[in-house]
Amino acid sequence: MKNKDASTSTDLPLAKISSAESLLVAAGRDRRPGAPLNRPPVPASNFILGTERAYSRDDGTPTWEALEEIVGLLEGGHTVAFSSGMAGVAAVFDQLRVGAQVVLPDDCYQGVVGLAELGNQKGLWSLRRLAVDDTAGWVRACTDADLIWLESPSNPLLTVADVRTICSATRKPSALLAIDNTFATSLNQRPLDLGADVSFQSATKFIGGHSDLLAGVVTVRRDDLRAALRRSRELNGATPGALESFLAVRGARTMALRLERAQANAMILAERLHAHPRVALVRYPGLSSHPTHSVARDQLKGFGTIISFDVRGEAAAADKVCSRVSLIHHATSLGAVESTIERRAGIPGQEHLPPSLLRLSVGIENVEELWEDLAAALRDE
Ligand SMILES: *Cc1c(COP(=O)(O)O)cnc(C)c1O
């Protein structure tokens, strides 16, 4: 469906802007004289009839569209915004016919696994899991799968899939290859350019960036797919909130700066953790010791802000680290300005992980103070 405001990108000089940093700031605005410089939250269910916009669940709102325009331009496609990341994931699974074959990575966001398992139990589709780095396995799976869902880097083991090779494998014309781009973000990876049909991100994480909203974005190039995703949003009522969309746009404005700082912090912390005697193993795609470092270097513009590391000793040793940090918050989720740490095997459905694995989402704080906090929490006694 067409955008409904005279203020959208097609009328604007946005086409001349190619850098992500400038697009994040310039896109999603109404440039007509007298318009507010920032698109306000529009808490409207319905609109005065006479244009294509009648009811927001069907036709969207200017606030959602600001978010959709920004992400769409960043990823080179059309974006549909949802009430949460999982609502966006569900809309992608909604495209499947009964009896479809779904392939998921062995290391994958637990909500996506839960959704896929539920559909499998109900007999809607069959489900297979593949190791993230089993490139040959994924290439083979492409020949008969209907939905190939990749997550790269993966959560929480941070394995990088060879997305380019997998995307170039022959797949059924009706198949969808989707990439969960939440950990990489549109700034480090553009899945549609790599050959994916669908790029998904939880906007709750880096786009929002402040742990104060839930939203999801799904980006595609095909018009029919975009229409089908919008139809799914409409019929399932998976609509983003007005305030959440406003906050997600506000977050997007500073995303490049936040990512740059947090990513630089993460590299420094990963190296120091790697050298720390109380740390058994660090998983960070930027370290040359990381098993998929060379693919990461080739495929990603940056290595991201998430580090997983195993503390020497059992679960209790890792729990102790979480209880001792003070600048870093003991909390779940990721991609925000504040650093958070969590023991992942403590979470239902994640028992396959090493018991002492901690996932650290590095924020934008002073890196020396972050390190002091971590080093103090890792002390022996
Ligand atoms: C958070 C997350 C999701 C789900 O998004 P919500 O906004 O929490 O619904 C999906 N995939 C990944 C990798 C995530 O981190």
Side-chain angles (χ1 to χ4, degrees), residues 84-86 109 112 151 180 182-183 200 202 204-205 214-215 334:
S84 69
M86 282 311 301
Y109 183 74
V112 177
E151 187 179 304
D180 187 334
T182 303
F183 274 39
F200 158 77
S202 166
T204 309
K205 314 293 166 56
L214 287 168
L334 54 106

Side-chain angles (χ1 to χ4, degrees), residues 310-331:
D310 300 353
V311 180
R312 282 194 202 283
E314 281 304 301
D319 284 335
K320 215 172 201 179
V321 174
C322 295
S323 68
R324 281 170 166 178
V325 286
S326 58
L327 177 59
I328 301 168
H329 299 273
H330 183 205

